[in-house]
Amino acid sequence: MEYLLQVKIGALIGLLLLTLLFGFIPARIKWFRDTNGTETHRTVLSLISCFAGGVFLAACLLDIIPDYLSDINTELDARTLEISFPLPEFIMAAGFFMVLILERIVLNCREIGGAREERAPLMHDNRNGHGHGHGHGTSPDLESSGHHVHVDFQAHSPFRSFMLFFSLSLHSVFEGLAIGLQSTDSKVLEICIAILVHKSIIVFSLSVKLVQSAVRPLWVTAYIGVFAMMSPIGIAIGISVMEAQLASGALIQAILEGLAAGTFVYITFLEILPHELNSPGKQLLKVLFILLGFSVMAALTFLG
């Protein structure tokens, strides 16, 4: 048991350091934050963002939702609850509407206060050759030049960036919890290696999204730092749960997973993908990079 504890602590430290490393690459390198680069620079940033969108889509459909449904169904079966109402899906929908309502409240308060930002609808039309609005401080000459590819760095609101960070962080806690709850050192190492690869790609993609939003650099650093701590916190909680033997701990975890899954569905399908696909230029190439990001995560999931 003492050796098992040492392995878990080693996994905790490894997850923390590697997440910080991959998270601070986009956050600290000026190239990712440069909004006035050449057309090639903007195109590359857009394609990287599309790759991140594919990563988040795969994380949503192949990782977060399946994990949640497996956990909640296991807990419901263990408690012999037989109901015809789709409770697992309802919990996930509750997470979706929680984010939707919170965002609408935030935007409504800003409108009452006379703020001009955040008024564009989530799904934009493609009239006048533009795939998305530019009412967030973008220069008129940039807006009118629809022939070149560009990245609208103000398209991601700070609120949505926070919700993306929050949902991924909550999921990271549960990933760490899976390590902390293991009873054999071989299983700890197996899960830890899988999470290390998975989380490195996720945190890089999260960092890219944050630097392309209106979030200040100091807050980006704080987000990445907190996100890096989530899996270690989950490992610590898992170790504590094993010692305390909480009867309802797994059910509470499953419900929280469902809420996190709902928030991630909202962010993925109403924020990340529409922004990437509605921006003009290189449409087929963007779809290819979204598919590439999805395929990388799908391959990692398939390999276990």
Side-chain angles (χ1 to χ4, degrees):
M1 181 63 185
E2 184 176 338
Y3 175 72
L4 177 62
L5 184 60
Q6 292 176 354
V7 172
K8 290 181 179 180
I9 293 175
L12 185 153
I13 297 173
L15 276 173
L16 176 63
L17 296 180
L18 201 63
T19 304
L20 287 173
L21 173 64
F22 280 88
F24 283 131
I25 290 175
R28 305 306 299 174
I29 296 178
K30 185 180 179 181
W31 187 89
F32 287 94
R33 304 193 304 271
D34 187 7
T35 62
N36 299 314
T38 63
E39 181 178 342
T40 301
H41 176 262
R42 289 190 294 266
T43 302
V44 172
L45 279 179
S46 179
L47 294 179
I48 291 175
S49 187
C50 289
F51 178 86
V55 168
F56 288 132
L57 177 62
C60 179
L61 297 179
L62 304 181
D63 184 13
I64 295 178
I65 293 178
D67 283 354
Y68 157 64
L69 292 177
S70 174
D71 290 345
I72 190 69
N73 286 324
T74 298
E75 289 306 309
L76 293 178
D77 291 341
R79 287 164 173 75
T80 62
L81 292 177
E82 297 182 1
I83 54 176
S84 58
F85 184 77
L87 182 61
E89 290 77 9
F90 178 80
I91 293 173
M92 194 162 58
F96 179 95
F97 282 109
M98 177 182 69
V99 182
L100 177 62
I101 293 171
L102 284 175
E103 184 182 51
R104 292 302 101 186
I105 291 174
V106 170
L107 301 188
N108 184 65
C109 291
R110 288 188 175 184
E111 288 178 357
I112 292 176
R116 298 178 58 188
E117 61 180 2
E118 305 292 345
R119 296 188 181 185
L122 288 175
M123 304 295 289
H124 307 281
D125 58 33
N126 292 317
R127 291 175 293 184
N128 301 324
H130 293 281
H132 59 282
H134 296 273
H136 308 285
T138 310
S139 59
D141 57 332
L142 179 62
E143 181 179 1
S144 61
S145 56
H147 64 279
H148 66 272
V149 177
H150 66 282
V151 180
D152 184 356
F153 281 78
Q154 302 298 328
H156 304 279
S157 73
F159 176 80
R160 292 177 180 177
S161 298
F162 172 78
M163 293 311 301
L164 174 63
F165 154 79
F166 176 77
S167 59
L168 283 173
S169 295
L170 195 56
H171 182 64
S172 293
V173 172
F174 300 137
E175 287 181 330
L177 198 59
I179 296 177
L181 292 174
Q182 298 306 314
S183 57
T184 62
D185 56 281
S186 59
K187 193 65 177 178
V188 169
L189 290 173
E190 178 185 333
I191 297 177
C192 182
I193 292 172
I195 292 178
L196 278 173
V197 177
H198 166 266
K199 196 173 182 182
S200 298
I201 300 175
I202 287 289
V203 72
F204 183 89
S205 302
L206 173 64
S207 185
V208 168
K209 287 297 176 184
L210 289 175
V211 299
Q212 291 182 3
S213 70
V215 179
R216 296 178 179 178
L218 182 61
W219 280 105
V220 173
T221 302
Y223 280 166
I224 297 301
V226 173
F227 180 73
M229 295 172 60
M230 291 298 103
S231 288
I233 288 175
I235 295 175
I237 293 175
I239 295 173
S240 301
V241 168
M242 285 193 68
E243 296 295 328
Q245 297 294 325
L246 295 177
S248 59
L251 179 61
I252 296 174
Q253 173 195 337
I255 293 174
L256 291 176
E257 275 187 289
L259 295 176
T263 64
F264 203 76
V265 167
Y266 179 92
I267 296 298
T268 301
F269 290 98
L270 293 184
E271 153 65 357
I272 296 173
L273 293 181
H275 167 65
E276 303 304 340
L277 295 176
N278 288 341
S279 57
K282 308 287 186 182
Q283 292 296 315
L284 291 179
L285 194 57
K286 289 180 179 182
V287 172
L288 178 62
F289 270 77
I290 291 175
L291 182 61
L292 179 62
F294 183 91
S295 300
V296 169
M297 292 298 292
L300 292 175
T301 302
F302 179 78
L303 294 174

